Amino acid sequence: MTQNEEILNMLKQQPITALDAAKIGCMRLAARIHDLRMKGHVITTEPVTVNGKQFARYYLMKSKAA
C-alpha cells in the first residue's frame, strides 16, 4: 500500500496531523495531501495552535466523483 493510500484511509477515519502521519513513516504529509488533492479528493486544512506551536489538521470533505 502506498503512503497516499494509507493517508487516504486515515483521513476516511478521522482528521489527521503530521504527527499521525509520522506514525506510519510519512514525513511529508503536506506533499501527500497535495497528491491526493491532485487526484480529486477534497481535503481542507485547519490551522491549529497549541501551547504556542502551530500545525495543520487535515479533513477529508468528500471522495472524488466517480
Side-chain angles (χ1 to χ4, degrees):
M1 182 178 293
T2 67
Q3 280 189 349
N4 286 348
E5 292 168 335
E6 290 185 76
I7 295 299
L8 183 58
N9 286 337
M10 291 173 72
L11 282 167
K12 288 178 180 178
Q13 301 298 314
Q14 63 188 23
I16 66 169
T17 65
L19 183 59
D20 300 318
K23 292 175 185 175
I24 63 161
C26 177
M27 305 311 281
R28 297 190 61 219
L29 179 58
R32 302 297 67 83
I33 294 295
H34 174 76
D35 293 344
L36 292 170
R37 285 176 173 155
M38 298 310 319
K39 291 182 178 183
H41 297 283
V42 179
I43 301 170
T44 60
T45 305
E46 173 191 20
V48 179
T49 303
V50 175
N51 295 327
K53 307 291 185 196
Q54 296 182 340
F55 58 94
R57 183 176 292 136
Y58 297 96
Y59 294 83
L60 179 65
M61 300 308 290
K62 62 180 179 179
S63 297
K64 79 177 190 181

